[in-house]
Amino acid sequence: MVYLYLPPRKYNMNALNFYMEILEEAFENNGERVKRISNLHSVIKGDKVIVITVNDCARVLLKKRGVKIYTWYQGIAPEEMAFNAKGINKIFEYLKWSICDILSLWGSTGNIYVSEAMAKHYKKKYAFFKNNFTIMPCFNQELEEDAFLQAKYDSPSFVYSGSVAKWQCFEQTIDAFVAIRKALPKAKLSVFTNMIEQAKEIVENAGLNNIEIRNVPYQELPAEMKKFKYGFLIRDNHALNRVATPTKMSTYLGCGIIPIFSPVIGDFNKRLGNLHYIVNAGSISQLVQKIKELELTPINRANILNEYQKVFKDYYCRDKYVKQISDFFAKYN
């Protein structure tokens, strides 16, 4: 029996479900039956358990003997926990989660990473050179051809969707838009966030006006996103971001939005950085220059659709990853 272990805690199932269904289908293709569980009571020796955090892996290792564990690493937990902690807690959190990392990496039958940069990170940090891993980027969006509306490419409309948490670089995004509006006075920005008051304060402090700021329910987000030409995905040069593959990129591309992203996101820089309809910039001045260049030439919806379709036939291809992970599970069984 294969169990997908989701202990009681707050999950963003909207973001996770797409990914977990791929893992479930991959096992089912090998003749396995998968069941989601919130506790380990029914797990017995010989079972297989899929976990989505390193501490869950450590818990299974300590509580259940003789089971095979497959761990999905959504990010690098020690660095993330230390980033969000304060004072002496930074050291404690970093060490605690590094121990979970070590237990998970060596204790898992198979490891699922979100990027090549993540695999390199674990090799460098822990000297973990085992090849029992496969790679699938985080994504939760399929390409929607009806989102590639010619009209939206005729004017510089921008969208930011997310929180104003420090790691999401909302303040840097607003600084970038200030520079964009100086170069393109007709540029418009919409901010979709559930932290409306904090966002308003940051926008006002930057001296911007006529900025739409509102909370959009997750179910309505794709329909709203389709209206925009550009989308922000700016990140700082931090280990967290170097190994990440934020789902927001698949949302932007799938909705026909030209992403504005930082090349520090290693796998995006390698796999998507050379696309024509993309703004891959390490500084605000580079970002503004690339947008100005795109604005000088009218965009034909067929051209941008063709380029993004190629991405979804390879990098964001659901069927490809179902087969890849199914083969991986069969090998490490």
Side-chain angles (χ1 to χ4, degrees), residues 79-214:
E79 289 74 11
E80 180 178 349
M81 296 302 171
F83 183 84
N84 293 321
K86 295 181 180 179
I88 193 68
N89 282 337
K90 283 184 174 291
I91 299 173
F92 173 74
E93 291 291 330
Y94 183 81
L95 292 175
K96 179 180 76 173
W97 286 91
S98 290
I99 291 170
C100 288
D101 258 0
I102 292 167
L103 288 171
S104 180
L105 287 166
W106 270 271
S108 296
T109 299
N111 296 303
I112 305 164
Y113 303 152
V114 300
S115 67
E116 291 180 17
M118 179 178 279
K120 292 176 182 177
H121 170 82
Y122 288 134
K123 286 179 181 178
K124 182 178 180 180
K125 181 177 179 180
Y126 301 114
F128 184 76
F129 292 100
K130 291 176 70 175
N131 291 319
N132 62 334
F133 69 88
T134 190
I135 296 170
M136 174 170 67
C138 294
F139 67 111
N140 60 357
Q141 176 81 32
E142 297 188 86
L143 186 133
E144 300 184 32
E145 291 191 18
D146 65 352
F148 292 75
L149 304 171
Q150 185 61 54
K152 77 176 183 180
Y153 300 118
D154 295 336
S155 59
S157 58
F158 296 76
V159 65
Y160 172 88
S161 176
S163 79
V164 301
K166 183 179 178 182
W167 67 272
Q168 292 215 23
C169 296
F170 181 68
E171 292 191 35
Q172 292 94 318
T173 297
I174 294 302
D175 290 341
F177 187 72
V178 169
I180 290 168
R181 184 171 270 181
K182 286 180 181 177
L184 303 170
K186 293 183 179 180
K188 295 181 179 179
L189 172 66
S190 292
V191 176
F192 298 153
T193 182
N194 60 3
M195 304 173 73
I196 291 175
E197 294 307 314
Q198 299 96 316
K200 283 182 177 178
E201 183 178 354
I202 293 169
V203 168
E204 289 171 2
N205 288 341
L208 287 173
N209 52 37
N210 297 323
I211 305 298
E212 178 188 34
I213 303 175
R214 60 189 175 98

Side-chain angles (χ1 to χ4, degrees), residues 150-327:
Q150 185 61 54
K152 77 176 183 180
Y153 300 118
D154 295 336
S155 59
S157 58
F158 296 76
V159 65
Y160 172 88
S161 176
S163 79
V164 301
K166 183 179 178 182
W167 67 272
Q168 292 215 23
C169 296
F170 181 68
E171 292 191 35
Q172 292 94 318
T173 297
I174 294 302
D175 290 341
F177 187 72
V178 169
I180 290 168
R181 184 171 270 181
K182 286 180 181 177
L184 303 170
K186 293 183 179 180
K188 295 181 179 179
L189 172 66
S190 292
V191 176
F192 298 153
T193 182
N194 60 3
M195 304 173 73
I196 291 175
E197 294 307 314
Q198 299 96 316
K200 283 182 177 178
E201 183 178 354
I202 293 169
V203 168
E204 289 171 2
N205 288 341
L208 287 173
N209 52 37
N210 297 323
I211 305 298
E212 178 188 34
I213 303 175
R214 60 189 175 98
N215 186 14
V216 178
Y218 182 85
Q219 297 79 0
E220 300 173 17
L221 198 55
E224 290 294 324
M225 297 285 275
K226 291 177 184 178
K227 302 173 183 177
F228 298 92
K229 182 174 182 178
Y230 298 99
F232 286 106
L233 182 46
I234 293 174
R235 292 291 187 267
D236 283 330
N237 189 4
H238 187 282
L240 284 175
N241 299 319
R242 291 194 291 271
V243 307
T245 52
T247 57
K248 197 179 297 185
M249 178 64 86
S250 70
T251 301
Y252 285 163
L253 295 175
C255 289
I257 296 171
I258 299 172
I260 302 168
F261 82 99
S262 306
V264 298
I265 307 175
D267 277 36
F268 286 174
N269 188 46
K270 180 178 179 180
R271 300 294 299 271
L272 307 172
N274 291 324
L275 295 178
H276 180 71
Y277 295 108
I278 206 158
V279 178
N280 176 14
S283 68
I284 289 178
S285 61
Q286 290 176 346
L287 178 156
V288 172
Q289 182 58 37
K290 290 190 176 185
I291 292 172
K292 285 169 66 178
E293 290 171 4
L294 282 171
E295 288 298 304
L296 287 174
T297 306
I299 293 176
N300 184 312
R301 68 170 296 277
N303 293 336
I304 190 170
L305 173 60
N306 180 61
E307 183 170 69
Y308 290 2
Q309 279 176 330
K310 292 176 182 177
V311 175
F312 279 84
K313 287 178 180 177
D314 179 29
Y315 190 56
Y316 288 133
C317 180
R318 186 187 187 282
D319 291 343
K320 167 190 168 181
Y321 290 114
V322 168
K323 184 181 186 308
Q324 174 184 310
I325 294 174
S326 182
D327 292 344

Side-chain angles (χ1 to χ4, degrees), residues 51-74:
V51 297
I52 65 172
T53 66
V54 293
N55 61 320
D56 288 343
C57 179
R59 185 178 293 114
V60 177
L61 283 169
L62 294 172
K63 289 189 175 184
K64 297 290 178 176
R65 301 293 181 184
V67 301
K68 293 181 178 180
I69 306 171
Y70 300 86
T71 304
W72 171 32
Y73 300 79
Q74 301 175 60

